[in-house]
């Protein structure tokens, strides 16, 4: 059997795609296959924190590729030690160890496994609207996955979903059978829904009271996206485990599970494992990303540009904003997909969310106010 000559794509037909083909990219700009520039306010699902063709990032990857492109965790490498230490110091939080993996879902899968194994309890509590990934455990705690795409005959543990922001429900749902609560402090796919300090602090208090772990999924909202290293810093709530990915590698696939000393003490050789996780290219990417965020003052810039968007972009079809830093949800009067399509015609790429009236912005941290002005002008010209 040979290939079907009439077939134009051999990629699995599982992604709805924007009417945009990217040929190259630099800074905050994409260039499409017709040679036209498109302002990227979506950053490849929150990944391109440093934007494109960042000199330090590109040089670090090239240099690591030349010196040693891969060795597994069975072999010691300084770049791996440096990446883990740099990530903990960047967090400014009392974490004691880092397990490096490949994707956000894998980081969550490992965090959940640790919580279930250590507590020997059957239940994970997640939050309505949360997204945690597509694997068996991460999908099990993703709100709405079972109805839409989960696919496995049953979840690997009991799951309940807590209504967002419902302080009263916490005590009734998080109890003696709960191994962990997993929460995105700022929900991404839901539409940049900021759960806020009181709710997160109440989860922390209840987890302490019943002996459950608190897991922050900062795959989307971490690594500077909110203008703080992590949302845990922003809201001053310390989880037992924190997962992060996306902007961590600026496009080089990598993810991390950060753990406190108490969690680390439950681990022994072979408790966890991975082939590609913590590979030297990924570690060089992590180091380069943190170096750029720190040396270029990008946290401050995220806070400033995020505030500028909120101040200036409530125009045209946009009536309100939500989120934190450069994880922005703009509430639209008309369906956000219409606004997204109209903006793309004006050369601006924005995202949408599971809330059909939220236009989601996840731009590179290097975004400038002049780029926000372009968005404001384009929105002002649209029909409300
Ligand atoms: C909050 C959150 N957690 C987990 C994931 C899954 O990450 P990955 O696609 O790298 O497995 C995502 C991806 O969008 C996410 O936004």
């Amino acid at each position: 059997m040979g290939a079907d000559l009439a077939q134009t794509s051999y990629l699995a037909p599982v992604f709805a795609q924007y009417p945009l083909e990217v040929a190259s990219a630099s800074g905050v700009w994409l260039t499409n296959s017709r040679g036209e520039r498109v302002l990227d306010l979506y950053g490849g699902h929150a990944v391109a924190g440093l934007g494109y063709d960042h000199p330090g990032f590109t040089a670090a990857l090239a240099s690591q590729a030349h010196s040693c492109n891969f060795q597994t965790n069975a072999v010691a490498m300084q770049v791996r030690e440096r990446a883990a230490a740099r990530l903990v110091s960047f967090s400014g939080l009392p974490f004691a160890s880092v397990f490096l993996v490949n994707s956000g879902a894998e980081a969550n899968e490992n965090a959940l496994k640790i919580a279930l194994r250590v507590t020997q309890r059957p239940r994970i509590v997640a939050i309505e609207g949360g997204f945690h990934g597509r694997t068996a455990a991460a999908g099990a705690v993703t709100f709405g996955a079972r109805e839409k795409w989960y696919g496995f005959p049953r979840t690997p543990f009991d799951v309940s979903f807590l209504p967002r922001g419902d302080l009263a429900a916490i005590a009734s749902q998080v109890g003696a059978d709960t191994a962990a609560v997993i929460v995105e402090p700022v929900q991404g796919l839901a539409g940049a829904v900021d759960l806020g300090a009181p709710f997160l602090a109440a989860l922390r208090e209840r987890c302490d009271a019943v002996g459950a772990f608190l897991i922050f999924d900062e795959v989307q909202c971490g690594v500077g996206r909110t203008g703080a290293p992590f949302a845990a810093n922003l809201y001053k709530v310390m989880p037992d485990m924190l997962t992060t990915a996306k902007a961590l590698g600026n496009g080089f696939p990598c993810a991390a599970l950060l753990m406190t000393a108490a969690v680390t003490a439950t681990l022994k050789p072979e408790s966890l494992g991975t082939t590609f996780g913590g590979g030297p290219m990924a570690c060089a990417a992590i180091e380069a990303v943190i170096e750029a965020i720190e040396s270029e003052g990008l946290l401050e810039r995220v806070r400033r540009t995020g505030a500028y968007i909120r101040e200036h972009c409530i125009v045209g079809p946009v009536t309100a904003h939500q989120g934190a830093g450069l994880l922005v949800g703009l509430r639209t009067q008309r369906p956000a997909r219409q606004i997204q399509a109209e903006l793309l015609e004006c050369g601006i790429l924005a995202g949408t969310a599971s809330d059909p009236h939220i236009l989601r912005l996840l731009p590179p941290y290097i975004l400038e106010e002049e780029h926000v002005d372009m968005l404001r002008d384009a929105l002002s010209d649209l029909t409300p």
Side-chain angles (χ1 to χ4, degrees):
M1 292 231 299
D4 176 354
L5 296 180
Q7 189 170 338
T8 54
S9 174
Y10 286 88
L11 294 171
V14 295
F15 295 107
Q17 289 187 324
Y18 305 136
L20 166 71
E21 188 178 68
V22 172
S24 64
S26 178
V28 293
W29 293 98
L30 310 174
T31 302
N32 70 16
S33 42
R34 292 194 300 273
E36 297 154 346
R37 290 202 319 167
V38 175
L39 177 64
D40 185 8
L41 300 182
Y42 194 55
H45 290 314
V47 167
L50 305 186
Y52 305 95
D53 200 17
H54 183 279
F57 175 78
T58 309
L61 282 185
S63 157
Q64 189 61 51
H66 282 298
S67 67
C68 175
N69 66 302
F70 190 72
Q71 277 298 309
T72 70
N73 292 280
V75 171
M77 291 193 79
Q78 288 186 5
V79 67
R80 186 181 297 123
E81 292 291 348
R82 286 200 310 268
R86 190 82 194 254
L87 185 53
V88 170
S89 101
F90 171 69
S91 81
L93 297 167
F95 288 114
S97 71
V98 179
F99 181 54
L100 294 164
V101 288
N102 305 287
S103 68
E106 191 186 357
N108 286 332
E109 200 89 1
N110 280 286
L112 295 167
K113 180 165 83 176
I114 291 171
L116 291 156
R117 180 177 51 73
V118 172
T119 61
Q120 293 290 305
R121 296 175 179 182
R123 178 170 304 279
I124 302 290
V125 175
I127 314 299
E128 289 183 359
F131 182 89
H132 300 290
R134 300 216 169 230
T135 52
V141 290
T142 288
F143 190 65
R146 266 188 270 184
E147 295 73 34
K148 289 194 202 131
W149 49 257
Y150 188 60
F152 299 96
R154 64 191 70 85
T155 61
F157 40 77
D158 299 339
V159 182
S160 34
F161 290 97
L162 203 57
R164 286 196 282 238
D166 186 344
L167 293 171
I170 294 176
S172 61
Q173 290 205 31
V174 180
D177 70 342
T178 308
V181 175
I182 185 165
V183 54
E184 288 174 86
V186 187
Q187 294 183 329
L189 187 64
V193 181
D194 182 356
L195 296 184
F199 185 68
L200 298 171
L203 289 178
R204 174 72 277 174
E205 201 179 312
R206 184 64 184 163
C207 284
D208 287 341
V210 301
F213 288 101
L214 180 61
I215 303 168
F216 277 5
D217 176 344
E218 299 218 25
V219 167
Q220 187 161 149
C221 68
V223 199
R225 173 71 46 200
T226 64
F230 291 97
N233 307 88
L234 193 65
Y235 298 122
K236 299 187 173 45
V237 176
M238 179 66 192
D240 302 292
M241 289 180 264
L242 184 152
T243 59
T244 194
K246 295 204 185 265
L248 181 64
N250 194 46
F252 197 93
C254 60
L257 163 59
L258 289 84
M259 294 168 279
T260 60
V263 176
T264 306
T266 71
L267 299 176
K268 56 183 193 319
E270 311 232 326
S271 296
L272 309 172
T274 167
T275 298
F276 293 126
M281 298 291 287
C283 291
I286 293 170
E287 259 197 303
V289 164
I290 296 174
E291 170 60 27
I293 292 175
E294 291 183 341
S295 67
E296 295 170 25
L298 294 183
L299 295 180
E300 159 62 20
R301 192 143 144 196
V302 166
R303 293 194 291 271
R304 189 165 25 91
T305 319
Y308 193 79
I309 293 176
R310 288 167 174 78
E311 197 180 326
H312 294 274
C313 293
I314 315 307
V315 292
V318 176
T319 56
H321 61 78
Q322 58 193 42
L326 284 180
L327 173 41
V328 183
L330 296 180
R331 186 156 294 284
T332 56
Q333 284 190 156
R334 291 188 283 128
R337 279 188 193 283
Q338 285 178 12
I339 317 292
Q340 180 193 38
E342 291 164 19
L343 285 176
L344 194 52
E345 280 180 16
C346 311
I348 297 176
L349 176 63
T352 54
S354 53
D355 180 333
H357 284 269
I358 290 289
L359 192 72
R360 189 167 40 134
L361 308 182
L362 299 156
Y365 304 164
I366 57 170
L367 195 78
E368 302 273 7
E369 291 171 359
E370 66 186 88
H371 304 124
V372 178
D373 293 341
M374 293 175 195
L375 172 66
R376 178 205 56 207
D377 293 348
L379 286 170
S380 307
D381 287 345
L382 299 184
T383 315

